[in-house]
């Protein structure tokens, strides 16, 4: 094994060189973590990934022309926008970032400077000041503002400077993401660009609708190394999401080292869907992910899927399998056939060992135990297992999260159910809510980003339906499940399962442009929800992604800004279809 070196505290975003006209690959497909037998992608996976990257670059790269930015063009939509056309402010080579003396605020200032320096070429020195709002530069100010809550901020642009104020560093962090969007699209370039770096004048007051706003990356079906995960974190924080759920274990592979159970990685991590190489995160790798996320005010939610989806674990520890069977490694995509024996005392020792180590390495409050599609563990055997697993999670000081199939089990304090249904009529989940559960909404027919955009999307599935950008946007988390009150909804999450996703370029293609739609549902007030306005605001992000070298799907629903030389649509061959049932 070759652990990835630790990340420096102020590591910048993972940004490749910007795409250029005729580019043959906009995004490097680096791995970063421990991979078997090598960290490079298999040769058989490269053509599809490279072709998809070329498709994204060809469709979106040379044909998008950035438009002037208005104060209200932000995604997600802010709570309140007050433009002042007479108050524009232009950055200059002499601009300084002034910040409150608190270390957390200083870290946000450093991150802002790191975001702006590559394209502007400006030094943007950082100076601490007791009253930074008095300077004619960019000021980041920590100040008590109870009305903004723990993540809200206020941004003021005047002819003499920019001021972002918040009660917490998380609020300042969200504020700098808004500032970034108010600059010309070429601010995303990794090399200097000659431009007038002007911010539109006025004020924005903003705070999130829901406290939990996240996305899930399945690293079990196909393994993605540390650098890929950090790049995904960058995409999430750009749109004010604050949780990354990592699906770390499944039938096809075990992706996190557990020192008390070494065979989970020496044996169980070697496989992936379709025969792709497996891999896993060493303790140092996982710490690198957790630290990078934490610096960006994003919480990692690790998932150890139990009692089903466990074939990889059972190949390593066959004594936990029912009836003493020894499973063979699995590289297909069927679900529901594997499970830990709920009648075996060793099973619960294993669960405690694994969850204890993962909990100890995870600073966030949540530990996800999966719980879905355990078709062979029925009735009391299933609920009994879940209730014991919930108690184990609580013993380690964490809040249990699980897919909504956990609902029939007895309530555990603070329990969170992740609902992935397609029909909002779900009496069992509603009953669990009445007993105290809260919900994270991930409806399969709106929020599952592994679903195809259209029938001819080259990768993805359609068991939950086709999800174009409008379908991802047109639903309300507060009313999606009947008999569940809005106050029981903790937030939203967009899962990306990876049976057919094999590279970073493909991850980005499936995330964008749908991820900002889910982000807006989680952040913005319901009163701002308007498809026509959203699609117009989202259109301005195509040039930003292009400047940053990010692959994305040029959805025909979005009025992307174009030039007269807009290129024709390219074609890419779809991979061979694989059988598919269930949520993931």
């Amino acid at each position: 094994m070759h652990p990835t070196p630790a990340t420096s505290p102020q590591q910048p975003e993972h940004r490749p060189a910007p795409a250029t006209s005729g580019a043959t690959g906009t995004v490097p497909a680096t791995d970063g973590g421990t991979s078997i037998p090598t960290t490079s992608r298999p040769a058989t996976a490269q053509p599809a990934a490279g072709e998809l990257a070329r498709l994204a670059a060809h469709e979106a790269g040379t044909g998008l022309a950035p438009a002037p930015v208005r104060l209200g063009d932000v995604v997600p939509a802010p709570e309140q926008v007050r433009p002042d056309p007479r108050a524009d402010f232009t950055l200059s080579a002499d601009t300084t970032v002034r910040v409150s003396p608190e270390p957390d605020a200083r870290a946000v200032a450093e991150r802002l400077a790191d975001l702006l320096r590559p394209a502007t070429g400006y030094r943007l020195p950082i100076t601490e000041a007791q009253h930074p709002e008095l300077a004619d530069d960019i000021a980041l100010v920590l100040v008590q503002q109870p009305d903004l809550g723990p993540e809200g901020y206020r941004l003021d642009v005047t002819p003499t400077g920019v001021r972002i104020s918040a009660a917490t560093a998380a609020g300042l962090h969200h504020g700098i993401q808004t500032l970034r969007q108010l600059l010309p699209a070429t601010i995303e370039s990794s090399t200097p660009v000659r431009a007038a770096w002007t911010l539109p004048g006025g004020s924005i007051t903003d705070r999130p609708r829901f406290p939990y706003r996240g996305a899930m990356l399945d690293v079990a079906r196909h393994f993605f190394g540390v650098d890929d995960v950090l790049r995904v974190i960058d995409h999430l924080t750009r749109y004010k999401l604050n949780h990354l759920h990592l699906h770390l274990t499944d039938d096809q592979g075990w992706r996190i080292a557990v020192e008390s159970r070494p065979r989970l990685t020496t044996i169980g991590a070697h496989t992936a869907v379709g025969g792709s190489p497996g891999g896993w995160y060493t303790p140092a790798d996982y710490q690198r992910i957790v630290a990078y996320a934490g610096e960006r005010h994003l919480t990692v939610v690790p998932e150890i899927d139990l009692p089903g989806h466990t074939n990889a674990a059972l190949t390593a520890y066959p004594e936990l399998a029912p009836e003493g069977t020894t499973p063979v490694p699995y590289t297909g995509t069927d679900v529901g056939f594997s499970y830990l024996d709920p009648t075996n005392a060793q099973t619960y020792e294993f669960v405690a060992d694994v969850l204890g180590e993962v909990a100890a390495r995870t600073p966030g409050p949540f530990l996800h135990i999966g719980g879905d599609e355990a078709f062979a563990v029925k009735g009391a055997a299933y609920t009994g297992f879940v209730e014991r697993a919930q108690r184990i999670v609580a013993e380690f000081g964490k809040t249990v999260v699980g897919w909504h199939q956990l609902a029939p089990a007895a309530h555990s304090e603070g329990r969170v159910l992740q609902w992935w249904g397609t029909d909002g009529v779900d009496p069992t989940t509603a009953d669990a809510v009445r007993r105290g559960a809260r919900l994270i909404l991930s409806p399969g027919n709106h929020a599952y980003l592994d679903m195809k955009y259209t029938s001819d999307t080259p990768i993805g599935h359609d068991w939950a339906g086709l999800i174009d950008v409008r379908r991802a946007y047109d639903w309300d988390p507060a009313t999606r499940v009947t008999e569940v009150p809005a106050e029981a909804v903790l937030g939203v999450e967009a899962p990306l399962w990876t049976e057919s996703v094999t590279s970073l370029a493909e991850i980005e293609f499936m995330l964008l442009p749908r991820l900002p739609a889910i982000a807006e549902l989680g952040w913005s007030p319901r009163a701002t929800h308007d498809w026509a306005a959203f699609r117009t605001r989202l259109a301005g992000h195509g040039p930003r992604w292009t400047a940053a070298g990010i692959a994305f799907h040029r959805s025909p629903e979005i009025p992307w800004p174009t030039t007269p030389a807009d290129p024709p649509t390219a074609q890419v061959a779809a991979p061979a279809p694989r059988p598919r049932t269930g949520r993931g």
Side-chain angles (χ1 to χ4, degrees):
M1 299 191 298
H2 302 284
T4 305
T7 305
S8 61
Q10 292 301 327
Q11 182 174 343
E13 284 198 353
H14 279 55
R15 300 199 278 188
T20 58
S21 178
T24 58
T26 60
V27 185
T30 56
D31 271 351
T34 302
S35 184
I36 310 167
T38 172
T39 56
S40 62
R41 294 283 177 216
T44 54
Q46 287 294 347
E51 193 66 26
L52 186 53
R54 283 193 289 276
L55 171 66
H58 188 62
E59 285 195 327
T62 60
L64 297 186
V69 182
R70 300 169 302 175
L71 194 68
D73 286 343
V74 178
V75 177
E79 182 177 274
Q80 186 178 82
V81 179
R82 292 179 175 151
D84 183 352
R86 301 165 298 175
D88 293 357
F89 174 74
T90 301
L91 305 183
S92 73
D94 296 324
T95 297
T96 296
V97 179
R98 302 184 184 274
V99 62
S100 297
E102 293 85 352
D104 286 351
R106 172 77 187 221
V108 177
E110 295 279 5
R111 195 155 300 112
L112 174 61
D114 286 342
L115 289 171
L116 303 185
R117 284 170 181 149
T120 65
Y122 299 160
R123 291 180 55 249
L124 297 173
I126 297 170
T127 302
E128 294 182 4
Q130 289 294 335
H131 301 287
E133 65 271 26
L134 302 180
D136 291 345
D137 288 297
I138 300 175
L140 305 182
V141 186
L142 283 179
V143 60
Q144 290 302 313
Q145 298 186 87
D147 57 320
L148 293 180
E151 292 187 276
Y153 66 92
R154 179 180 170 91
L155 184 147
D156 295 287
V157 180
T158 71
T160 57
V162 181
R163 180 179 189 263
I164 300 173
S165 57
T168 66
L172 292 180
H173 169 78
H174 296 317
I176 71 171
Q177 300 305 321
T178 293
L179 184 154
R180 174 187 193 179
Q181 291 188 27
L182 294 175
L183 288 164
T186 48
I187 195 64
E188 302 297 336
S189 172
S190 61
T191 56
V193 176
R194 294 189 65 180
W197 302 110
T198 299
L199 292 135
S203 66
I204 289 175
T205 302
D206 205 7
R207 58 183 174 175
R209 182 185 184 192
F210 294 105
Y212 188 109
R213 307 173 308 281
M216 187 211 78
L217 179 63
D218 169 14
V219 297
R221 269 51 180 277
H222 281 100
F223 178 68
F224 298 92
V226 175
D227 286 347
D228 290 353
V229 176
L230 302 191
R231 172 85 161 179
V232 170
I233 289 171
D234 291 340
H235 298 330
L236 270 55
T237 59
R238 181 188 293 262
Y239 294 105
K240 302 183 176 73
L241 297 173
N242 62 356
H243 289 81
L244 172 64
H245 169 186
L246 288 175
H247 183 75
L248 291 165
T249 68
D250 216 299
D251 293 316
Q252 297 83 359
W254 186 282
R255 307 303 184 207
I256 187 167
V258 178
E259 292 178 343
S260 64
R261 301 281 179 159
R263 297 204 303 269
L264 288 171
T265 46
T266 60
I267 295 175
H270 284 250
T271 44
V273 166
S276 295
W280 72 89
Y281 305 121
T282 67
D285 292 333
Y286 186 68
Q287 176 57 35
R288 183 181 173 197
I289 291 169
V290 167
Y292 189 90
E295 290 159 8
R296 287 148 183 81
H297 302 277
L298 185 145
T299 299
V300 172
V301 181
E303 179 186 354
I304 306 298
D305 207 345
L306 305 165
H309 289 276
T310 51
N311 194 80
L314 297 175
T315 62
Y317 293 93
E319 63 269 25
L320 304 179
E323 300 176 358
T325 58
T326 302
V328 297
Y330 183 68
T331 61
T333 59
D334 287 337
V335 297
F337 60 90
S338 64
Y339 63 99
L340 298 175
D341 183 357
T343 66
N344 186 346
Q346 295 180 80
T347 289
Y348 302 98
E349 295 173 5
F350 171 84
V351 171
D353 287 346
V354 171
L355 295 184
E357 287 197 32
V358 174
R361 296 182 204 151
T362 304
F366 299 117
L367 193 55
H368 202 303
I369 61 170
D372 68 323
E373 296 176 331
F375 300 141
V377 187
K378 303 179 185 297
Y382 176 81
T383 55
F385 176 91
V386 168
E387 288 163 7
R388 287 189 69 169
Q390 289 180 159
R391 289 195 294 271
I392 290 170
V393 171
E395 288 169 3
F396 293 121
K398 299 296 184 182
T399 297
V400 70
V401 185
W403 301 105
H404 70 267
Q405 281 72 25
L406 267 62
H411 182 64
S412 175
E413 182 66 28
R415 185 169 71 144
V416 178
L417 303 181
Q418 186 167 359
W419 189 83
W420 59 274
T422 58
D423 181 353
V425 179
D426 187 342
T428 304
T429 295
D431 177 67
V433 169
R434 284 190 289 272
R435 290 185 282 123
R438 295 172 294 168
L439 295 189
I440 296 169
L441 273 293
S442 299
N445 54 349
H446 290 283
Y448 265 37
L449 300 188
D450 54 310
M451 295 299 111
K452 295 185 175 191
Y453 292 92
T454 62
S455 59
D456 60 355
T457 302
I459 58 175
H461 309 293
D462 60 6
W463 63 263
L466 302 173
I467 301 180
D468 55 20
V469 185
R470 182 164 189 170
R471 188 168 185 81
Y473 184 77
D474 267 349
W475 62 284
D476 182 5
T479 60
R480 186 65 186 87
V481 183
T482 58
E483 299 184 15
V484 169
E487 56 268 24
V489 177
L490 188 63
V492 298
E493 183 177 291
L496 178 61
W497 303 99
T498 62
E499 294 95 336
S500 68
V501 176
T502 64
S503 70
L504 178 59
E506 292 178 347
I507 289 174
E508 292 179 336
F509 183 86
M510 299 303 277
L511 289 181
L512 301 171
R514 294 180 294 190
L515 182 69
I518 305 298
E520 181 147 310
L521 297 181
W523 178 277
S524 304
R526 181 62 181 168
T528 68
H529 190 96
D530 179 82
W531 165 248
F534 173 74
R535 67 191 287 266
T536 299
R537 284 182 285 112
L538 184 62
H541 289 248
R544 295 180 181 276
W545 300 330
T546 299
I550 299 170
F552 67 102
H553 169 56
R554 187 177 172 183
S555 168
E557 304 166 275
I558 308 302
W560 309 107
T562 59
T563 68
D566 200 22
T569 299
Q571 299 296 323
V572 59
R578 298 190 179 104
R580 183 70 187 89
T581 59
R583 67 100 181 113

